[in-house]
Amino acid sequence: MLALTGATGFIGNALLNRLTTTGYRVRALYRPRAGRSQPALPGVEWISGDLQEAGALEALVTGTRAVIHCAGSVRGITQADFDSVNVDGAMRVAQAAARQKQAPRFLLISSLAARSPQLSHYAGSKWRGECALKKVAADLPWTIFRPPAVYGPGDREMLPLFRGIEKGFALLPAGAGRRLSLIYVDDLASAVARWLETTAADGQTLELDDGCIGGYDWDSILETAGSVLRNNKRVNRLAIPMTMLKTFAHINLTAARIFGYAPMLTPGKVMEITHPDWVCNNYAFAQLTGWKPMFDFEQGLSCTFGKNIAVPLET
Ligand SMILES: NC(=O)c1ccc[n+]([C@@H]2O[C@H](COP(=O)([O-])OP(=O)(O)OC[C@H]3O[C@@H](n4cnc5c(N)ncnc54)[C@H](OP(=O)(O)O)[C@@H]3O)[C@@H](O)[C@H]2O)c1
């Protein structure tokens, strides 16, 4: 029996599918909302509750052999919005796990953003979440994954970009020289499955990527996306001037404060998406566990959009 948080989100849902099809029984936390009920899935026991509810967290982790903490807040206005979930939430789940007689192994899905905590409230909260876990780590065998940008079916962050590319344009911040790593969501899920099979990565903070050495620049991302989504037809890159992007971000933040929604485009997000270096590699995890990613960007994007391409087989 495993415990999983964030199973109703993009990455957590892929983890849930992967783990249950691998044969694990999974206890998954979900926040009940009007009009939302969780589907009955074979091998899944849903636990209703929030990361703030000690009772729900206790019920979630009791008797499990591993806890995969994937719930997180990727949108917000203030530092407190992010910290209450990404720091305090991580701490509470870890404490609940550490209180068990037989402490389960603990995997925190952090983010490559934690490498540069000064950039934004989000990045800072992911870093502080890692620190919070390490504070309770004396009683817990832990691992931290730092994935770069994750894409795949159900992703909402990169979808607008890909939808634009399908139509022949890509809105990107002006400026050159930025590089980033990527990982397809099924590869992240297979890394979690591999982590469960071995204790070799315990006590490690590990970056993961799709194996593209040196990452991608935006020209190569647009070229591949254009070939997959537009049959090689041209994609026009529309550069948004930085002053305009920052102005939009400030307006959006103000509107979010007034109308009470959780904004994606904020000044902090602008800092993240214009950061020059989001390149990482999976050498350490691959060496420790023998894991390797199966999807390059072309294959992952094809699968995301249901295009015909040979799906790689795991060896
Ligand atoms: N997407 C990426 O590119 C990426 C890259 C690196 C790291 N990550 C990390 O991966 C994790 C998942 O990201 P995602 O893209 O899958 O985000 P997502 O789709 O927004 O999913 C977030 C999940 O966390 C749950 N959650 C949030 N606050 C909660 C709370 N207070 N109590 C209980 N559950 C709560 C959400 O539940 P509800 O459904 O109830 O809202 C949802 O299941 C995050 O920790 C994120 O920092 C994501």
Side-chain angles (χ1 to χ4, degrees):
M1 176 69 88
L2 311 174
L4 175 66
T5 66
T8 53
F10 158 52
I11 295 174
N13 188 252
L15 297 184
L16 186 67
N17 287 335
R18 175 73 188 214
L19 297 173
T20 50
T21 49
T22 309
Y24 292 104
R25 287 183 301 137
V26 181
R27 213 179 271 148
L29 187 73
Y30 79 102
R31 292 190 288 186
R33 283 199 205 127
R36 179 165 93 166
S37 61
Q38 290 317 117
L41 297 172
V44 180
E45 181 189 335
W46 291 103
I47 301 284
S48 154
D50 192 277
L51 291 174
Q52 313 228 353
E53 292 171 40
L57 298 184
E58 188 68 27
L60 181 75
V61 302
T62 298
T64 56
R65 55 171 276 212
V67 176
I68 298 149
H69 180 48
C70 181
S73 187
V74 295
R75 293 168 185 238
I77 300 175
T78 61
Q79 180 175 326
D81 290 342
F82 289 101
D83 280 4
S84 63
V85 180
N86 297 343
V87 185
D88 304 344
M91 170 94 100
R92 283 196 196 97
V93 183
Q95 284 171 333
R99 274 195 299 272
Q100 301 303 304
K101 255 195 211 127
Q102 176 92 43
R105 295 173 67 219
F106 195 98
L107 177 64
L108 172 66
I109 305 295
S110 181
S111 167
L112 194 59
R115 200 169 73 175
S116 302
Q118 76 288 355
L119 285 180
S120 64
H121 292 325
Y122 170 72
S125 71
K126 295 305 281 187
W127 161 250
R128 288 186 290 279
E130 293 183 359
C131 299
L133 167 61
K134 288 176 192 168
K135 269 194 199 148
V136 261
D139 301 317
L140 213 55
W142 58 271
T143 303
I144 294 169
F145 277 178
R146 285 182 171 178
V150 186
Y151 68 97
D155 165 40
R156 288 177 302 158
E157 310 297 301
M158 293 183 81
L159 188 67
L161 174 73
F162 295 143
R163 288 283 178 232
I165 290 173
E166 274 183 320
K167 295 187 181 110
F169 68 90
L171 273 175
L172 290 170
R178 298 181 191 116
R179 297 193 74 85
L180 68 155
S181 293
L182 295 168
I183 189 165
Y184 183 57
V185 70
D186 281 11
D187 272 337
L188 179 54
S190 81
V192 172
R194 185 73 195 111
W195 173 82
L196 283 164
E197 291 164 359
T198 166
T199 54
D202 283 3
Q204 306 282 329
T205 299
L206 296 157
E207 300 178 355
L208 294 170
D209 78 325
D210 64 3
C212 177
I213 294 162
Y216 301 85
D217 61 19
W218 279 103
D219 288 336
S220 65
I221 289 177
L222 294 191
E223 193 182 319
T224 303
S227 91
V228 172
L229 301 175
R230 280 181 64 74
N231 293 325
N232 291 317
K233 276 189 266 162
R234 191 179 153 71
V235 177
N236 291 307
R237 182 174 174 158
L238 308 176
I240 315 172
M242 284 304 289
T243 43
M244 190 188 278
L245 190 61
K246 285 180 182 164
T247 307
F248 278 149
H250 279 289
I251 292 170
N252 195 33
L253 190 66
T254 308
R257 284 199 174 106
I258 295 168
F259 298 109
Y261 62 90
M264 177 45 73
L265 184 67
T266 60
K269 185 54 74 180
V270 173
M271 294 295 284
E272 288 172 30
I273 58 184
T274 57
H275 187 58
D277 177 16
W278 285 128
V279 176
C280 62
N281 66 66
N282 60 53
Y283 302 152
F285 186 64
Q287 281 226 321
L288 287 167
T289 67
W291 172 82
K292 61 176 191 208
M294 302 303 296
F295 295 83
D296 65 19
F297 181 50
E298 184 181 8
Q299 290 162 327
L301 198 61
S302 301
C303 291
T304 303
F305 286 89
K307 306 281 175 188
N308 267 347
I309 190 163
V311 177
L313 291 174
E314 272 179 42
T315 49

